[in-house]
Amino acid sequence: MSPTAELAETGREFYRRGWARGGSGNFSVLVARRPLRLCITAAGNEKGTLDDTNFLEIDDDAEILQGFGRPSDDTLLHLSIYRLRPKARSILYSQTVSGILLSDKFYVDGSISLQGFDALRGLAGVESYEQTVRVPIVENSTDQIALSHVIENVLIENPNIHGIYIRRHGLYSWGETVEAARRNIEIFEFLFEVTARA
Amino acid sequence: MSPTAELAETGREFYRRGWARGGSGNFSVLVARRPLRLCITAAGNEKGTLDDTNFLEIDDDAEILQGFGRPSDDTLLHLSIYRLRPKARSILYSQTVSGILLSDKFYVDGSISLQGFDALRGLAGVESYEQTVRVPIVENSTDQIALSHVIENVLIENPNIHGIYIRRHGLYSWGETVEAARRNIEIFEFLFEVTARA
Amino acid sequence: MSPTAELAETGREFYRRGWARGGSGNFSVLVARRPLRLCITAAGNEKGTLDDTNFLEIDDDAEILQGFGRPSDDTLLHLSIYRLRPKARSILYSQTVSGILLSDKFYVDGSISLQGFDALRGLAGVESYEQTVRVPIVENSTDQIALSHVIENVLIENPNIHGIYIRRHGLYSWGETVEAARRNIEIFEFLFEVTARA
Amino acid sequence: MSPTAELAETGREFYRRGWARGGSGNFSVLVARRPLRLCITAAGNEKGTLDDTNFLEIDDDAEILQGFGRPSDDTLLHLSIYRLRPKARSILYSQTVSGILLSDKFYVDGSISLQGFDALRGLAGVESYEQTVRVPIVENSTDQIALSHVIENVLIENPNIHGIYIRRHGLYSWGETVEAARRNIEIFEFLFEVTARA
């Protein structure tokens, strides 16, 4: 399966679960590191019915190399993550009821903290369920450039995080493969639901 | 895909999600503006298994031009929306636990208010998550003519709304395409669930 | 589609929704009225994977006319319903979290009362959402003969009911067709969830 | 269907329901009793997409006889169950929000107690809904050998249990067939949800 086909399959599954709605968030996959090139869903695409025509290939300046459509507002955010996480090859997004509720509740704390759950061991680099995993929460902004700078600071200051929550928006998570990024999202959304219902 | 096939596909998906049950609510799509002609599900049809035989083509007076079955009680309501929303080409309906609970809870306020959620940007004309989106709530009635007059007043007084909730009944939303109306429903139902669980 | 194929399809859908688990409850369909003959799922069959081999044809004395397996404990209950509801041609069963919680909560009241919901109009004979629909709750029993007598009394005393809840067990509902019985179940389970979450 | 194909099908269904996420828990099926040989999912495999290449055949010392990949940490736990439950031929695992919440809440009691629910009769050996069924809760551990000893003690001291909950981890249950083990999991997870929402 090609990487964009994997993104499309992930979109179908996230849509089925009610984790993806058109317009919010984007999926991407790295094409090359130097110079940076990536495939990213175009603005406003439904994630449940993605096909090859829904992706843009862009460069480091968010210039379109291939594909039709407008790059999404949060393309800058994807570029920031790829620049500051040299191992990341895919970035995914999810938007759920539990996640949004937690992003509001723990906004003052600055992060959602998860500890003691065996499921955490599915995250890359987490060896024990006793380890505390934090997902930083950042305020949403209508200024995408300002938002991407905030994201960059969060990435620099938190070298071990697996994802970032944009308040009342959704979760971005990345991995070395589409499968790894998807596993992160599935683990986080599960533990968000546990935490929201606790 | 033909517009009625899109309605059928939407019905299957809404049924799968538990948003549609036979008897409540109807889906429609515009066939022509002048004179007004539309295809609408006949009374009592299950939304999960719609096919071409489940639609009626009707005119501005709710007279049947084609198809078998009885027009639903709320056909007048569809006609009111098409008359007062010249851009609308499709109207959809959903019925969920969270929506019904909110329609009761916020009935005294007259509307369900949504603000601060990034998902709102998926609604036509909503540019920022900071914008407040209101869904007016109207009382249900056994008198369909009276109900359609109430709906007309709500549409006239609220030029920017994307949907109307009939208390303890369900959500009507419209769009320039079936896809746009469906996206509205998906966004509203998601945010209803967030609000109900908050 | 044959009536047993409709039951199998209903079982797959109820299983998908998490409304059916092996061992609890049974589905049936009438074969003939005089003398009474019906097809009913055999004891302990998983409802998600029914095929023709999972049904027994039985007579009025619960004697097996065709098929393999043991009749379920609640076969008597099905016979009681068919005898006392001459229009019923199918009986279905569902078991959900919300239903079980309500059957406990409203046990002292003797029934779950539903009123004011538009969805109620999908039940046969319910013309207005203002009508009150009651689902009697009966205590479960290890004595199936005693339980079927209780059910008979409930049916005689409540001529207009569409279903009976066995406490901490599940919902039995019947209709003139498999589709009508299924619609009843879908409406009740939806409104049980609304009521449980209210 | 071969036993491993049944495990794969179970994995797809558990994944669909949100009961299985990669990395946590494992499924197994007995190949032979004397000497003990079993097929078990390899470490870190996604349960939603299992195929024949995702299983290891191992012996009583957890030595790999066939297959590729690393045995999971909890292989010892499976071996303990097969040794102390001579009738068990399959072990399954599930991880749900309700289960995890109950494993925390009732940890001080030592078990999750279920009583009065008709669904319990689907468990092997439970004849009446009046019988109390207990699921012992054990603390998770980073020391798998210590954990398997704890599990062994629980199995010895509780001859009639159908499953064990590892706190904040998930449910292990076993049966004489894959189908029986799966039925146990479905019944427990349903009743966990009822109990968590009560």
Side-chain angles (χ1 to χ4, degrees), chain B residues 16-66:
Chain B
R16 186 186 70 78
R17 290 187 190 265
W19 295 3
R21 252 149 265 97
S24 280
N26 284 280
F27 296 171
S28 70
V29 68
L30 204 69
V31 176
R33 262 276 156 213
R34 291 160 206 270
L36 196 68
R37 275 166 50 216
L38 54 107
C39 278
I40 186 165
T41 45
N45 277 329
E46 295 287 337
K47 304 302 179 292
T49 52
L50 294 173
D51 62 34
D52 283 352
T53 67
N54 301 122
F55 291 94
L56 303 175
E57 189 175 331
I58 61 168
D59 68 13
D60 202 6
D61 297 316
E63 291 299 318
I64 299 176
L65 305 177
Q66 272 196 56

Side-chain angles (χ1 to χ4, degrees), chain B residues 50-141:
Chain B
L50 294 173
D51 62 34
D52 283 352
T53 67
N54 301 122
F55 291 94
L56 303 175
E57 189 175 331
I58 61 168
D59 68 13
D60 202 6
D61 297 316
E63 291 299 318
I64 299 176
L65 305 177
Q66 272 196 56
F68 303 96
R70 185 170 67 77
S72 159
D73 288 345
D74 69 355
T75 299
L76 294 180
L77 196 154
H78 284 249
L79 287 168
S80 299
I81 294 172
Y82 285 119
R83 280 186 207 117
L84 289 161
R85 287 296 180 267
K87 283 182 174 176
R89 295 190 72 86
S90 178
I91 301 172
L92 296 174
Y93 171 87
S94 59
Q95 183 181 65
T96 66
V97 172
S98 293
I100 283 181
L101 292 176
L102 294 184
S103 76
D104 244 26
K105 185 177 177 189
F106 294 109
Y107 177 63
V108 290
D109 299 330
S111 66
I112 304 167
S113 251
L114 304 166
Q115 197 263 338
F117 301 108
D118 198 80
L120 290 169
R121 295 194 303 140
L123 301 172
V126 178
E127 297 299 324
S128 159
Y129 65 90
E130 294 174 326
Q131 207 170 313
T132 298
V133 171
R134 290 188 331 107
V135 180
I137 304 166
V138 305
E139 184 59 276
N140 199 357
S141 172

Side-chain angles (χ1 to χ4, degrees), chain C residues 78-118:
Chain C
H78 285 249
L79 287 168
S80 299
I81 294 172
Y82 285 120
R83 279 186 208 118
L84 289 161
R85 287 295 181 268
K87 285 183 174 175
R89 296 190 71 86
S90 178
I91 302 172
L92 296 174
Y93 171 86
S94 60
Q95 182 183 66
T96 67
V97 172
S98 293
I100 283 182
L101 292 176
L102 294 183
S103 77
D104 243 27
K105 186 177 175 187
F106 294 109
Y107 176 63
V108 291
D109 300 331
S111 66
I112 304 167
S113 251
L114 304 166
Q115 196 264 337
F117 301 109
D118 198 80

Side-chain angles (χ1 to χ4, degrees), chain A residues 15-16 18 21-24 44 46 73 95-98 100-101 140-142 168-169 196, chain B residues 13 16-17 115-119 121 128-130 179 182-183 186-187 190 193-194 197-198:
Chain A
Y15 179 78
R16 187 186 70 78
R21 252 150 263 96
S24 281
E46 295 288 337
D73 287 345
Q95 183 181 65
T96 67
V97 172
S98 293
I100 283 182
L101 292 175
N140 199 356
S141 171
T142 53
R168 289 188 168 207
H169 186 330
Chain B
E13 178 62 19
R16 186 186 70 78
R17 290 187 190 265
Q115 197 263 338
F117 301 108
D118 198 80
R121 295 194 303 140
S128 159
Y129 65 90
E130 294 174 326
E179 191 187 341
R182 175 171 163 170
R183 178 183 290 208
E186 291 184 353
I187 290 167
F190 176 69
E193 205 181 326
V194 171
R197 275 185 52 193

Side-chain angles (χ1 to χ4, degrees), chain D residues 69-86:
Chain D
R70 185 170 67 76
S72 158
D73 288 345
D74 67 357
T75 299
L76 293 180
L77 196 153
H78 285 249
L79 286 169
S80 299
I81 295 173
Y82 285 119
R83 276 185 211 119
L84 289 161
R85 287 296 180 268

Side-chain angles (χ1 to χ4, degrees), chain A residues 17 115 121 182-183 186, chain D residues 15 44 46 73 98 140 168:
Chain A
R17 290 188 188 264
Q115 198 264 337
R121 294 195 304 140
R182 176 170 163 172
R183 177 182 289 209
E186 291 184 354
Chain D
Y15 179 78
E46 294 288 337
D73 288 345
S98 293
N140 199 357
R168 290 189 168 205

Side-chain angles (χ1 to χ4, degrees), chain A residues 13 16-17 115-119 121-122 128-130 179 182-183 186-187 190 193-194 197-198, chain D residues 15-16 18 21-24 44 46 73 95-98 100-101 140-142 168-169 196-197:
Chain A
E13 178 61 20
R16 187 186 70 78
R17 290 188 188 264
Q115 198 264 337
F117 301 108
D118 197 80
R121 294 195 304 140
S128 158
Y129 65 90
E130 294 174 325
E179 191 187 341
R182 176 170 163 172
R183 177 182 289 209
E186 291 184 354
I187 291 168
F190 176 69
E193 205 181 326
V194 171
R197 275 186 53 193
Chain D
Y15 179 78
R16 187 188 70 78
R21 253 151 263 96
S24 281
E46 294 288 337
D73 288 345
Q95 183 182 66
T96 67
V97 172
S98 293
I100 283 182
L101 292 176
N140 199 357
S141 172
T142 52
R168 290 189 168 205
H169 186 330
R197 274 186 53 192

